[in-house]
Amino acid sequence: MQRKIQSALISVFHKEGLEPIIKKLDELGIRIYSTGGTQSFIEKQGVAVTPVESLTDYPSVFGGRVKTLHPKIFGGILFRRELESDEIEAKVHQIPPIDLVIVDLYPFEQTVASGAAEQDIIEKIDIGGISLIRATAKNFKDTLIVSSRNQYAKLLSLLEQGKGATHFEDRRSFAAQAFATSAHYDVAISNYFAQTLAEPQPIFKASFTASQTLRYGENPHQKAHFFGDLEALFEQLNGKALSYNNLVDIDAAIDLIDEFEPQIPAFAILKHTNACGIATAKNTKEAYLKAFAADTVSAFGGVLVSNTSIDEDTAQELDKLFFEVLIAPAFDAKALDILKTKKNRVLLKRKHIEKPTIQYKTALNGVLWQDKDLQTEGEQNLTTVTKRKPTESETAALVFAAKVAKHSKSNTIVLASDSQLFASGVGQTSRVDALKQAIIKAKHFGFDLSKAVMASDAFFPFPDCVEIAAEAGIKAVIQPGGSIRDEDSIEACNAKNMAMVTTGIRHFKH
């Protein structure tokens, strides 16, 4: 069903890209209604425009808070063209039809992000715009709603192809986008108020405007999309499109590497969200080589991340390894020349952006929501519970190992020095199995466990892990504590002259 556009209402905050549409509407003989700054913008194009006030016979009032909220505006949009009684009412009340509405919304989210005062934020809650969007979208059988400047190009194409007429499916498509725009805007406002209450309300609402279709999900038979703005996080310098599994691993990699201050080069290699290697060193190349040494097998096909720039020397070493993704804050020109020789190798340059402090996922017939685990223990958070205190180097190693354990799948045991992961046991159903796995791996790759400390993501319910660690030569342990049998593990440490510290913070990761 085609509808000829006879009149249009234009009221926008952002005017970029609007000029060619105005000229096309004028060329097609379509009457334009407008108000305020948009009216002035149209007049500067030399195009005739009818002020909304002349239609409503009512001025803009309350500092512009009320401009388009009037029966002659909303009647012109909402009356049903095919319904005779509506047509009669429109004529009786002298309500002209409005067939096209171009409107956007005040930048509420940007105003909140800018740190503006609450009064400024409140003034950016759009009333007239959101009402115009919903009204026009509701009557999509007769009217066309353009709710975003991202639709200007498509609108211009429709106007040119249809010579001012639109098809039903086009109007329905624009309406769907309009309701998505409206919903996103309301979610942003709802979340702002929920977060600023003295007692925050347990309300879950999420909305993302940007999205992309992924090649597939965890497996080829699963469809997948990413909702969010990856370009705000990274500049992709090389490689194929990111997959679902890439994104999950990249998220884990960023969380892990951000535990380490950029003043000291740190490098991590991850597989299935767990670190198979991580190290710090005096330069990036050395940090990478130490991380790689922890597991030269699992590193194949991994996701790599550095907290410092990738230079030529590091790139030459990295080029010897097949990996999926490399993330860094910067890349030297010569390093890029080397790394770009593999066309599918993904290279991501990080941008500075604040990461979300909450996380959620679907579960059963609902959603699980929680604060992100942002607690990281330093030396000041350690309590020695054994007769022997850890040495200075052991203390540094315990802090390092605890950071890695925090970002490993539970149950996990991490064996490390103060600058290098030796091995870890991850995702095990028992802590004993996790420890045995870590010991086997560490020995396989030639590490001396007498130079290692042990970190656990949760407490020891029995002394067995301490006893096994002691047999392997480990001299110091870090764990949350909190078991009713803590004393058993502490006594086992004392018997073996081991040092144990507790943190009081558990770091389960499922």
Side-chain angles (χ1 to χ4, degrees), residues 46-68:
V47 172
V49 57
T50 302
V52 164
E53 291 85 352
S54 68
L55 173 61
T56 63
D57 196 28
Y58 213 89
S60 173
V61 293
F62 309 125
R65 278 191 164 198
V66 180
K67 291 182 288 190
T68 57

Side-chain angles (χ1 to χ4, degrees), residues 109 180 184 187 204-211 226-229 356 360:
E109 289 178 282
H184 178 81
V187 165
F204 176 78
K205 288 183 173 64
S207 177
F208 300 91
T209 54
S211 67
F226 176 77
F227 294 93
D229 185 6
Y360 47 85

Side-chain angles (χ1 to χ4, degrees), residues 54-126:
S54 68
L55 173 61
T56 63
D57 196 28
Y58 213 89
S60 173
V61 293
F62 309 125
R65 278 191 164 198
V66 180
K67 291 182 288 190
T68 57
L69 295 169
H70 194 280
K72 283 202 172 181
I73 298 296
F74 284 86
I77 292 169
L78 285 166
F79 86 80
R80 293 156 289 190
R81 275 59 164 174
E82 81 284 358
L83 198 62
E84 186 178 356
S85 60
D86 279 15
E87 288 276 8
I88 292 171
E89 279 191 90
K91 289 179 181 179
V92 168
H93 297 289
Q94 297 181 317
I95 299 174
I98 297 175
D99 308 307
L100 167 65
V101 174
I102 304 173
V103 63
D104 61 10
L105 300 170
Y106 291 157
F108 179 83
E109 289 178 282
Q110 294 89 330
T111 306
V112 172
S114 73
E118 178 158 278
Q119 186 54 44
D120 295 327
I121 292 171
I122 298 304
E123 288 305 314
K124 288 300 184 288
I125 297 177
D126 207 311

Side-chain angles (χ1 to χ4, degrees), residues 382-393:
L382 310 185
T383 301
T384 301
V385 293
T386 49
K387 294 177 180 177
R388 186 174 81 80
K389 292 183 178 181
T391 65
E392 187 175 336
S393 63

Side-chain angles (χ1 to χ4, degrees), residues 19 22-23 26 39-49:
E19 184 176 349
I22 292 169
K23 290 183 176 179
D26 185 51
Q39 178 186 333
S40 299
F41 179 82
I42 296 171
E43 289 170 342
K44 288 178 181 177
Q45 312 306 314
V47 172
V49 57

Side-chain angles (χ1 to χ4, degrees), residues 405-465:
K406 171 186 170 182
H407 293 277
S408 303
K409 291 283 188 178
S410 299
N411 290 308
T412 186
I413 292 288
V414 168
L415 307 180
S417 69
D418 61 356
S419 63
Q420 184 181 23
L421 171 66
F422 287 1
S424 61
V426 298
Q428 298 301 306
T429 52
S430 85
R431 208 158 298 283
V432 170
D433 287 344
L435 174 56
K436 289 179 178 178
Q437 180 189 64
I439 291 171
I440 291 170
K441 281 193 67 176
K443 290 181 177 179
H444 175 77
F445 288 104
F447 289 103
D448 180 359
L449 290 181
S450 68
K451 299 177 181 178
V453 301
M454 176 172 74
S456 175
D457 60 334
F459 63 61
F460 297 116
F462 304 103
D464 43 11
C465 281

